[in-house]
Each structure stands twice: as structure tokens, then as C-alpha cells.
Amino acid sequence: MALRAGNQSQATRNGLKEKVLTLDTMNPCVQRVEYAVRGPIVLRALELEQELRQGVKKPFTEVIRANIGDAQAMGQKPITFLRQVLALCVNPDLLSSPNFPDDAKKRAERILQVCGGHSLGAYSISSGIQLIREDVARYIERRDGGIPADPNNIFLSTGASDAIVTVLKLLVSGEGPTRTGVLIPIPQYPLYSAALAELDAVQVDYYLDEERIWALDVAELRRSVRQARQVQTRECIEAVIRFAFEERLFLLADEVYQDNVYAEGSQFHSFKKVLTEMGPPYAGQQELASFHSASKGYMGECGFRAGYVEVVNMDAAVQQQMVKLMSVRLCPPVPGQALLDLVVSPPAPSDPSFAQFQAEKQAVLAELAAKAKLTEQVFNEAPGIRCNPVQGAMYSFPRVQLPPRAVQRAQELGLAPDMFFCLRLLEETGICVVPGSGFGQQEGTYHFRMTILPPMEKLRPLLEKLSGFHAKFTREYS
């Protein structure tokens, strides 16, 4: 029971019962939390959808939510093999059906054998089912060219987000000038700033270089550390590892887009692999937590909330504290664990489902690559919009020029200029994107973030409509 002392209020003296929990008495850290991806502009989009259903006339017929990387909500089809095995696990009676391939049945039986009561409805141990953690370890070893992975250093999680917050909880300590600071890249994913606000940690921003396709400059990292007290290449990763080692920093590597690399000449390098290949003193001493998820990649299985974290060189006693912290949440969703197992150990070439699985996977990735190229092309043809190549992931972050009168009007309304632009865009076109101010940006620059996930037949019209709106908006405020 939570008790709060205080003077008797006027409401109490008048015989009215005062709320125990108010904005004045609640945790102030929660009030500082902001999450732009699901912020005010998205709430307005939901209201507009409701108004359209009620028959309210709008200058558009549908709201296109390009604000979040939710692939299947935007029409991406699930991978057949993943859903077949999950269906069998959820309803084992289907194991006798002739409508499922033998390899899907064997995989379902293998997973059910290690579930409590042979059911996905049972709890697992807090760190995740042991067999699945072993499969994740083998996946990491294959990915990293044979570098060993220990399943005891792998923790399954409710998406990558939950694992990130768990590790941050371990890291944040101290008071006042000794409070933990966390370096985050700008533009950032708002999960980080939201989690840091909730934990009352100190956010230390470092800016990625937009002129060099969002490259990371270690000199900028050093500037951030001194003032506060899209890593793309292997060389850059090595520089970050050296920097973290010299400054005695714990590294967190968000690697959920490791399957989403489109640009020619680009490839994914895991921090774990690079760290190990750098050898002593880094390989045996630099602390690292790396995260992966089934929500992104070719899978797009956001709703199952499946992910994992691998910790490297973590103090053994701290790792036990991490197990304790996870045990408070009981366990990650077991259906999500089953899904993750299929992601890290897909059909082998000799399996009946292999050909279809590969064809579906490659089709998704090829379409994403085409959408990335189209997004860059259309935006860069529009005056006043500049879009860097979308080398990976599933978003673009175009820079837009806003007239001074538009900036002034936004300030009069108490809005960030790019929020004003995005709200007007939503009201007039039904296109929901997120203002760059929600992700962080250099002072005096304006951006928006949008996904490249809409179907190709909708994406080009969306891009052209957005570009046309920007031109109209610019004329209106020039």
C-alpha cells in the first residue's frame, strides 16, 4: 500500500475525497517520458480514422500510418513456415493434419517437448527456454563465422526493447554529478530517451553526420563525453570499441536490423564479431550487450514480442543480478520464444519447406530494397526535400526546408516547426509521419521520419503526395 503524507487539503476540509495519485504526487520521471513514435500526432491519426468511419468528410479517404515499423500492419505477409509451426504449437491437434509439411511438424514437436506440460501456455524459466537459447547461440556462431557463443550469456526477452531497458536498469546508478550518463546517437530511436527519462539517467547526445549519410565520428563521441562527463562500417565499429575501452564505457549494440541491409557495398558487421577479432585487450575485457528481435528483418512479427540479448564480458555477479531482475517479470511470452527459435534456425536446404521459405524471405527483402531506392529517388526530386540513401532498416529521415513564416507560426502555436508541418500534412493528406524533433536533430534543421513499408502500389503515390504537400506548404508560408 502506498502512503503519502501531507497537509489536509481544502478538498478534504470540504468533505470531498482527494485523489491519492495526481500529477503532483506521481513519479516525476514518468512525466518526463516522451515517445514520439506513438505520440500526439499518432493519437490525432486515430481520431481521424474514427471520424472517417463516422462519415465525416475529409480531403482523403484513409489514414496512412507511416509512423512506425509495423510491417504486417502495412500489408507484409507472414512467412509461411513460421506461422505453420506456430499454429501446430498453439493447437497440437493439428499435428495429425495432412495440411502441414513434415519438417514443420517435427519443429513443433521439438519445441513442445521442452515446454512445461508440452504447452505454449506454460511459463518458462525467466531467461527463456534452454533449448531455444542454445539455438540462438548456434545462430550467433554461424552469423559470426564460428566465434563461440555461450547460451548462458543469452537471455530471451519481450522484444529487443525489454532487454534494452533491463540492461539500462543495471547500468544506471549514482546521484547528482555521479549519476550514470548514457551516450545515444542523434537522431535516435525514442525508446532510449524514454527509458533514460523513466530511469532518471543522464542522456548524453552525440550527433551522426547527415552530410556523410549519418556516419558516426569518434571525435563527436569524445566531444559529448567531455561536455557531459548509423554505425555503418567495420572501421567505424572498431573505432567505437576502442573509444569505449579507453573511456571505460559499457557498449549496447542494437542490431535488430541485421537482415535489412540494402545498399551496394554495405554489409552487417556484428559488434561481437568485430570485438572478438580485434583480440586483446578488447576481446577479453570490453563489456557488451547486443540485441536482436523478430519484429524487424524479413519476419516483421512485431506482435509476438520476441527478442534476445547476448552479454559479453559481463561481471558474473552482475549477470546473476540480471537473472534476478528478469525473474521479477516471470518470463518472456512463450509463443514469442517459439517464433524466435524458428528465426534463428530456419529450414535447412534438405527440408521440404526450404524452397518456399527462401523464396518468401528473398521476396520481402528485395521489395524493401526497391522501396528504399524509390523513397530516396522521389524525395530528392522534390525541391526543398533532401533524403540520404536508405542503406538499411525500414525508414527514411528526410530533411525539409521550412519557410521562416512557417517556423514563426509554429512558435506562436507552441509547436516544434516540424511538428507543425507533420500535423498539417496529416490533416490535409491523411499521411502520418513523425517529426524529426521526436528523434533529435541538429539545431535549425527539420526532418520527418517515415517507414518505407507501405505496399509499392501505395508508396509512390504517398511519396508524391507528400512532396506535393511540401511544395504547397512552402508557397503558403513564403
Side-chain angles (χ1 to χ4, degrees):
M1 182 180 294
L3 302 176
R4 188 175 297 278
N7 295 330
Q8 189 180 38
S9 69
Q10 183 65 42
T12 303
R13 289 195 294 272
N14 291 341
L16 300 174
K17 185 178 183 299
E18 190 178 56
K19 297 287 187 186
V20 174
L21 184 62
T22 67
L23 289 177
D24 291 330
T25 61
M26 71 174 287
N27 183 345
C29 295
V30 174
Q31 293 193 58
R32 292 199 294 272
V33 171
E34 293 184 2
Y35 189 58
V37 174
R38 292 178 181 256
I41 199 162
V42 181
L43 297 178
R44 179 58 186 147
L46 293 171
E47 291 173 355
L48 288 171
E49 287 178 331
Q50 180 67 18
E51 290 172 18
L52 285 171
R53 284 193 290 269
Q54 294 170 348
V56 178
K57 295 297 182 186
K58 300 289 179 185
F60 48 86
T61 57
E62 67 172 328
V63 172
I64 300 177
R65 286 200 245 166
N67 60 294
I68 193 166
D70 190 350
Q72 294 185 23
M74 300 302 289
Q76 181 176 308
K77 294 189 181 304
I79 300 295
T80 302
F81 180 76
L82 305 184
R83 289 303 183 89
Q84 286 176 330
V85 178
L86 285 173
L88 292 163
C89 288
V90 170
N91 184 3
D93 289 346
L94 294 174
L95 286 166
S96 60
S97 168
N99 297 324
F100 292 84
D102 288 343
D103 56 339
K105 292 180 180 180
K106 289 175 182 175
R107 291 299 301 278
E109 289 169 342
R110 180 175 182 265
I111 291 169
L112 290 171
Q113 282 297 318
V114 293
C115 293
H118 306 311
S119 170
L120 288 191
Y123 287 131
S124 75
I125 62 173
S126 300
S127 54
I129 294 170
Q130 179 68 22
L131 175 74
I132 297 176
R133 289 160 59 214
E134 290 169 0
D135 286 345
V136 171
R138 282 189 283 270
Y139 161 79
I140 293 171
E141 288 181 4
R142 290 194 308 272
R143 182 197 68 188
D144 291 344
I147 293 170
D150 184 347
N152 293 317
N153 293 336
I154 293 165
F155 300 84
L156 308 189
S157 57
T158 309
S161 301
D162 187 57
I164 290 168
V165 173
T166 297
V167 175
L168 286 173
K169 285 179 179 177
L170 294 173
L171 287 166
V172 174
S173 65
E175 299 292 338
T178 65
R179 190 67 172 164
T180 300
V182 180
L183 279 156
I184 65 171
I186 302 295
Q188 54 118 3
Y189 179 46
L191 163 72
Y192 309 132
S193 56
L196 296 179
E198 183 180 356
L199 295 171
D200 201 22
V202 178
Q203 178 176 319
V204 183
D205 299 340
Y206 63 91
Y207 289 88
L208 303 180
D209 188 346
E210 185 171 6
E211 303 304 320
R212 295 195 295 129
I213 318 180
W214 304 112
L216 189 154
D217 185 350
V218 173
E220 168 65 9
L221 280 175
R222 296 192 189 282
R223 178 204 64 76
S224 297
V225 170
R226 283 197 304 271
Q227 286 190 359
R229 208 26 250 164
Q230 221 144 311
V231 180
Q232 287 102 2
T233 66
R234 182 189 175 96
E235 292 73 24
C236 202
I237 293 174
E238 289 181 0
V240 170
I241 290 170
R242 290 191 191 95
F243 169 78
F245 185 82
E246 292 164 10
E247 298 288 343
R248 301 191 70 249
L249 302 176
F250 190 107
L251 269 175
L252 289 83
D254 185 343
E255 298 179 334
V256 301
Y257 293 107
Q258 56 192 260
D259 289 304
N260 300 101
V261 180
Y262 318 123
E264 189 175 341
S266 296
Q267 67 179 104
F268 170 75
H269 300 279
S270 80
F271 265 78
K272 160 91 173 291
K273 183 174 191 287
V274 175
L275 173 64
T276 304
E277 291 178 347
M278 287 174 71
Y282 311 103
Q285 297 183 48
Q286 177 57 50
E287 294 153 89
L288 166 71
S290 60
F291 308 89
H292 193 21
S293 166
S295 298
K296 309 303 178 185
Y298 63 90
M299 305 81 71
E301 295 285 8
C302 304
F304 281 95
R305 310 306 303 129
Y308 73 79
V309 55
E310 181 187 23
V311 296
V312 178
N313 294 325
M314 178 178 273
D315 180 89
V318 172
Q319 198 159 321
Q320 285 303 309
Q321 294 296 312
M322 184 171 172
V323 172
K324 178 184 75 175
L325 191 58
M326 288 184 149
S327 69
V328 175
R329 305 282 288 274
L330 296 179
C331 70
V334 176
Q337 295 186 48
L339 174 72
L340 184 68
D341 189 63
L342 305 172
V343 171
V344 299
S345 52
S350 58
D351 291 337
S353 299
F354 177 78
Q356 183 179 5
F357 173 85
Q358 282 294 104
E360 291 176 353
K361 174 182 175 180
Q362 294 308 318
V364 169
L365 294 175
E367 185 171 21
L368 285 171
K371 291 175 180 178
K373 195 170 186 63
L374 177 67
T375 301
E376 176 195 354
Q377 174 194 330
V378 174
F379 278 148
N380 285 332
E381 289 172 353
I385 303 179
R386 191 183 74 188
C387 183
N388 271 323
V390 182
Q391 294 185 324
M394 47 186 64
Y395 313 96
S396 63
F397 197 70
R399 182 171 174 172
V400 288
Q401 294 176 3
L402 300 181
R405 285 184 57 231
V407 174
Q408 181 182 346
R409 180 58 181 151
Q411 292 168 344
E412 292 168 357
L413 295 171
L415 297 171
D418 47 11
M419 172 64 88
F420 177 53
F421 172 81
C422 291
L423 280 171
R424 284 284 305 273
L425 173 72
L426 175 62
E427 296 288 347
E428 296 186 28
T429 68
I431 298 171
C432 180
V433 298
V434 189
S437 49
F439 299 84
Q441 55 197 349
Q442 288 279 11
E443 187 71 27
T445 67
Y446 307 110
H447 301 77
F448 61 86
R449 190 193 81 159
M450 65 164 281
T451 72
I452 61 170
L453 290 172
M456 192 65 89
E457 64 271 16
K458 287 187 176 182
L459 183 61
R460 181 180 281 278
L462 181 156
L463 295 169
E464 292 173 347
K465 185 185 288 189
L466 200 158
S467 300
F469 171 81
H470 177 262
K472 172 180 173 290
F473 183 87
T474 300
R475 288 193 300 271
E476 179 180 346
Y477 286 97
S478 294

